[in-house]
Amino acid sequence: MTQRLAALAVLAVAASGLGACSSGGSGSTTGSSTVYTIWDPYPQFDPGSEWVKLLSRCGTDAGVTVTRTAFDTTDLTNKTLLAAQQDNAPDVLIVDNPVISTLAEAGVLATTEEVNVDTSGVEQNLLGAGQLNGKTYGMPIGANTLALYYNKAVLQLAGVDVSTVKDWPSLTSALAKVKAAGKKGITFSAIGTEEGSFQFLPWFWGAGATLTKLDSPEAVTALSLWADWLKQGFAPNSVINNTQTTSWAEFATGDYAFAENGTWQLANAKKTGFEYGIIAIPGSKGGTAPAPTGGEFVSIPVQKGTGRYVTSQKLVACLSSTDNSLTTTTTLSYIAPTKAVQAKQVAANAELKVWAEAVNAAKGRTGDNLGTKYPKISQPLWTALQAALSGSATPQAALTTAQTAAAAATN
Amino acid sequence: MNLQSQTRTRSVEDSDGAAQAAPRGASRHSARWRSPQWAAWGFLTPIAIYLIAFYAYPLYRNLDLSMRDYTVRSFVRGDAAFIGVTNYQTVLADPTFAPALLHTVVFTVACLFFQFSIGLALAVFFNHSFRLSVTLRALFLVPWLLPLIVSASTWSWMLNSEAGVVNTALGFFGIGPVNWLTSPDWSLVSVIIANIWIGVPFNLVLLYSGLQGIPVQVHEAAALDGASSWQRFWRVTFPLLRPVSAITLLLGLVYTLKVFDIIWIMTRGGPVDSSTTFATWSYRLGFGSPLPRFGPGAAVGNLLIIMAIVFGFIYIRVQRRQQPA
């Protein structure tokens, strides 16, 4: 008897447990709740940080309560797709710029037209990453890009005047002098992920190559530059596995003359204990190479209850207003997307001038209407990097393979 | 799978027996719906629901996913077209397939062989009690206890071409730096070494407990009959350890086939595809790029499951042949 009772009890518990599970998930986005959800890729900021304070302030101004959840960047795309599949997307989404076109293609994001977000003040080269088929799907919250950090002491020891580094030959000869002086040349990240492509693009574009033709002679020049640096010992072999963080750790040892890295390392640069400077990445024959834009877009995912857009729009406007944009970009160590705020940033911190210039020369990876084709091109490209740098193929052969793979994937 | 269903039927019989014993005193109250059969099913229901919700349904979903043309758009809308085995054809025709298969086999065989032989050697070693043997045995468990992200990151730091401690140590002996993680010739070797290190304690513990189960008298008898210690190991210990060895190898195989974290953290499956296995390839297809390819990713995952199941069946056959009862 007791056994049977126990069995029934177990059954009842199991049934109620399952019932509770299935009813718990829904109901959070329906209705006119005054709780608005924001997802961002900044897990480094805790609830006490300026960034989260700004979010709650914007919520209060719009008369609603804001619930913010932070995700890891790579995780955020999948979480958003899953949430959209279950009609459970957040009200405001802050997401890495190359992902915008993927999410737009999936029909997850509302256009700025639909939700009345004003993007007129934004620089066109930054907005490009958020556009697909002539429609805009978000507003850049801030931008970052890549440049070359250099170690003043190492260059002095090697007898290199940094102002002579204007193009690739002068950069390579500077690296040769550094090596001759017993120091290490340059470190960057050529890992087999999107990070590797991101770091290679300034050189790729700086040679005049385009993403639609990966095996062009210009592209081969760019890849040969990197491969030769490795072969001659100007760059360490570890770049093949370096993320931008581990590459920075190499530069922070003080042995390296140059490091290709982004705006976000500025705070760390001050902690290294040696004097550093920053120059823009040179093009193959001089000038500033266009670097890819990094940084996030703030966008509004499609909701069933379109009435929510009005408040979501207020939140977006608040985050991107001139005053708040200055706070946001300073907190995130980013460059503002509008000329007006950029000028304020440079006035407050002259060091940012190089970065503001680099951002203005930069271009979006998914721009040129590549959109969702970009990831399919980027993967063969980073594979080619790995093949050429590890010596398993020549730059020409690696890029020919990459072009074949990219062409097959994008058709 | 088969193993599970065996134990499941056995548990039905057990609960049947128990249920039959109970109502004997209260037989007057027995109504038809309260028959022992029902009670048995009642006991079975929670585990059945659990198995369906957490095993059968995800497997079915994965199979379904691998037969549909998922793009980001159709994923969100849930209207992906059924395309049969096209994803499998895509995967089979992919230039990554042959190397990934080869690496999966080499990785699994090499890891199993070394983990098992080192684990067995250590187990035999620790079977002779000596001072500090318990402490040392506990120390050998450390790799198994460490979170994989910690051990993998530590390995990749040690094997770093520029600043790694391994290359520094080799340098003392005049051996030039080896690009452990960044050379296509060495990356697979490096991840195999790291995985062997992690898997040895698992083999050690299981085989050690197996050794404890072998009666001392058998060894004594063999020794009295004049068997050398080498002969006693091969003729007595090894055959008596066979059932434990079989399950150790099977568990090790299933575990090694799906190793992902170590490879991903140490090399990302690269350079190029030189350390890509089915597990990392499946992840790379599904989540490794901003544009997920769930269909082919699920197809590769299913191939991995099939490989594991095949070896599971081989194990069961071998076991049946060993115990003809």
Side-chain angles (χ1 to χ4, degrees):
Chain A
M1 201 62 212
T2 45
Q3 279 183 350
R4 260 174 269 166
L5 278 176
L8 284 175
V10 167
L11 271 179
V13 168
S16 65
L18 286 172
C21 277
S22 58
S23 67
S26 61
S28 55
T29 52
T30 49
S32 54
S33 151
T34 56
V35 176
Y36 278 68
T37 49
I38 299 186
W39 287 3
D40 70 45
Y42 311 129
Q44 70 270 34
F45 295 122
D46 58 37
S49 63
E50 280 300 313
W51 165 247
V52 180
K53 280 186 199 156
L54 174 67
L55 290 180
S56 7
R57 211 179 325 127
C58 285
T60 317
D61 291 352
V64 294
T65 317
V66 162
T67 334
R68 169 254 187 181
T69 314
F71 292 92
D72 186 62
T73 302
T74 43
D75 213 19
L76 184 57
T77 315
N78 294 323
K79 286 279 184 329
T80 309
L81 285 173
L82 279 171
Q85 192 197 27
Q86 288 149 22
D87 271 331
N88 217 354
D91 292 291
V92 176
L93 174 71
I94 296 157
V95 68
D96 197 15
N97 72 78
V99 175
I100 288 282
S101 57
T102 302
L103 293 178
E105 169 73 24
V108 174
L109 300 179
T111 64
T112 48
E113 224 169 80
E114 280 174 85
V115 292
N116 285 321
V117 170
D118 178 25
T119 56
S120 56
V122 179
E123 294 297 302
Q124 185 51 45
N125 66 327
L126 298 180
L127 202 57
Q131 290 173 323
L132 188 71
N133 302 325
K135 293 210 169 79
T136 310
Y137 290 90
M139 166 99 183
I141 196 160
N144 60 49
T145 191
L146 296 165
L148 292 179
Y149 286 83
Y150 62 89
N151 185 325
K152 286 187 180 168
V154 173
L155 286 187
Q156 206 172 7
L157 183 79
V160 174
D161 178 4
V162 79
S163 64
T164 60
V165 177
K166 295 231 171 286
D167 49 19
W168 291 1
S170 57
L171 178 58
T172 305
S173 70
L175 295 177
K177 280 186 198 164
V178 170
K179 197 196 171 196
K183 289 288 183 179
K184 292 170 180 174
I186 184 169
T187 170
F188 46 87
S189 155
I191 194 169
T193 63
E194 178 58 31
E195 237 172 318
S197 291
F198 181 69
Q199 286 247 324
F200 181 61
L201 279 174
W203 312 93
F204 183 82
W205 282 332
T210 53
L211 283 170
T212 44
K213 192 162 168 48
L214 292 179
D215 56 350
S216 66
E218 291 84 2
V220 176
T221 331
L223 189 50
S224 304
L225 180 77
W226 272 20
D228 285 345
W229 283 352
L230 257 74
K231 214 178 284 167
Q232 307 203 32
F234 296 165
N237 190 273
S238 53
V239 295
I240 300 171
N241 245 354
N242 268 352
T243 63
Q244 298 186 95
T245 312
T246 50
S247 163
W248 181 262
E250 289 182 343
F251 181 66
T253 60
D255 283 340
Y256 287 83
F258 292 97
E260 181 186 356
N261 227 303
T263 336
W264 59 91
Q265 298 289 12
L266 267 179
N268 291 328
K270 295 193 175 76
K271 290 185 207 149
T272 54
F274 55 77
E275 296 247 323
Y276 67 91
I278 300 159
I279 54 168
I281 297 173
S284 67
K285 297 186 179 80
T288 298
T293 49
E296 286 76 27
F297 269 60
V298 50
S299 53
I300 299 180
V302 173
Q303 303 289 341
K304 263 200 183 135
T306 49
R308 295 181 74 84
Y309 290 151
V310 183
T311 310
S312 302
Q313 183 270 332
K314 279 186 198 156
L315 293 174
V316 174
C318 173
L319 289 176
S320 51
S321 75
T322 311
D323 287 343
N324 288 335
S325 177
L326 191 60
T327 319
T328 314
T329 47
T330 311
T331 319
L332 298 172
S333 196
Y334 280 178
I335 298 298
T338 55
K339 274 263 158 57
V341 185
Q342 280 176 8
K344 282 190 178 186
Q345 281 186 295
V346 174
N349 181 0
E351 214 182 12
L352 292 176
K353 194 163 182 291
V354 185
W355 290 110
E357 279 166 10
V359 161
N360 288 330
K363 63 194 235 180
R365 279 164 279 177
T366 51
D368 300 336
N369 216 16
L370 283 177
T372 50
K373 281 183 188 163
Y374 172 72
K376 296 174 186 170
I377 296 170
S378 173
Q379 187 166 345
L381 182 61
W382 82 57
T383 310
L385 288 185
Q386 295 255 304
L389 298 188
S390 68
S392 63
T394 64
Q396 176 71 62
L399 286 167
T400 309
T401 314
Q403 177 57 33
T404 317
T410 50
N411 278 334
Chain B
M1 292 310 286
N2 214 347
L3 196 68
Q4 271 176 353
S5 63
Q6 274 183 353
T7 49
R8 220 187 304 162
T9 44
R10 202 173 304 145
S11 73
V12 174
E13 283 159 15
D14 288 351
S15 58
D16 236 345
Q20 271 168 353
R24 220 167 271 164
S27 56
R28 272 170 291 165
H29 301 289
S30 76
R32 201 174 168 74
W33 66 276
R34 281 199 219 144
S35 75
Q37 281 289 330
W38 280 100
W41 284 111
F43 276 107
L44 206 58
T45 317
I47 185 72
I49 291 174
Y50 170 74
L51 284 175
I52 291 169
F54 291 97
Y55 290 85
Y57 180 70
L59 273 177
Y60 160 75
R61 272 293 289 165
N62 208 43
L63 199 64
D64 184 58
L65 204 62
S66 72
M67 302 236 186
R68 286 179 189 277
D69 183 21
Y70 269 103
T71 61
V72 279
R73 178 170 278 266
S74 57
F75 178 75
V76 169
R77 294 190 173 181
D79 60 355
F82 184 85
I83 50 165
V85 294
T86 315
N87 281 327
Y88 289 88
Q89 286 166 346
T90 314
V91 163
L92 285 173
D94 195 290
T96 306
F97 180 80
L101 179 63
L102 179 72
H103 297 152
T104 310
V105 172
V106 170
F107 181 82
T108 311
V109 170
C111 283
L112 276 186
F113 177 76
F114 285 105
Q115 283 173 357
F116 184 79
S117 26
I118 298 174
L120 184 58
L122 286 171
V124 171
F125 177 65
F126 283 118
N127 203 26
H128 309 288
S129 299
F130 53 92
R131 270 190 211 175
L132 286 180
S133 71
V134 177
T135 320
L136 281 175
R137 214 173 68 225
L139 277 177
F140 265 101
L141 286 184
V142 168
W144 190 253
L145 301 177
L146 279 181
L148 278 175
I149 179 123
V150 174
S151 32
S153 307
T154 310
W155 272 102
S156 73
W157 170 75
M158 291 201 307
L159 295 174
N160 185 292
S161 330
E162 292 303 302
V165 68
V166 174
N167 274 350
T168 315
L170 288 178
F172 282 125
F173 299 101
I175 303 168
V178 177
N179 295 322
W180 293 102
L181 302 174
T182 52
S183 145
D185 306 324
W186 283 103
S187 58
L188 190 62
V189 176
S190 303
V191 292
I192 288 175
I193 292 174
N195 193 53
I196 290 171
W197 178 79
I198 288 167
V200 162
F202 173 76
N203 287 261
L204 166 63
V205 168
L206 284 186
L207 294 170
Y208 179 80
S209 63
L211 284 179
Q212 300 277 300
I214 299 175
V216 191
Q217 296 92 314
V218 187
H219 278 286
E220 282 171 357
L224 282 176
D225 288 342
S228 70
S229 56
W230 188 245
Q231 279 174 325
R232 262 179 294 160
F233 174 75
W234 281 113
R235 307 268 165 122
V236 179
T237 313
F238 201 66
L240 285 175
L241 209 54
R242 201 175 285 157
V244 179
S245 305
I247 191 72
T248 308
L249 283 173
L250 178 79
L251 290 175
L253 178 110
V254 172
Y255 172 76
T256 313
L257 266 184
K258 65 186 171 64
V259 163
F260 159 75
D261 336 43
I262 301 175
I263 302 180
W264 191 256
I265 294 165
M266 287 177 69
T267 66
R268 298 288 196 284
V272 199
D273 284 336
S274 60
S275 55
T276 296
T277 62
F278 274 7
T280 61
W281 189 29
S282 170
Y283 179 86
R284 199 176 74 198
L285 286 169
F287 307 102
S289 103
L291 197 68
R293 293 173 68 198
F294 295 119
V300 175
N302 285 334
L303 292 180
L304 206 55
I305 294 176
I306 291 170
M307 284 167 86
I309 287 179
V310 165
F311 282 102
F313 280 128
I314 292 176
Y315 167 77
I316 287 165
R317 272 206 93 132
V318 170
Q319 208 193 23
R320 276 207 195 126
R321 208 175 296 163
Q322 273 178 1
Q323 304 164 321

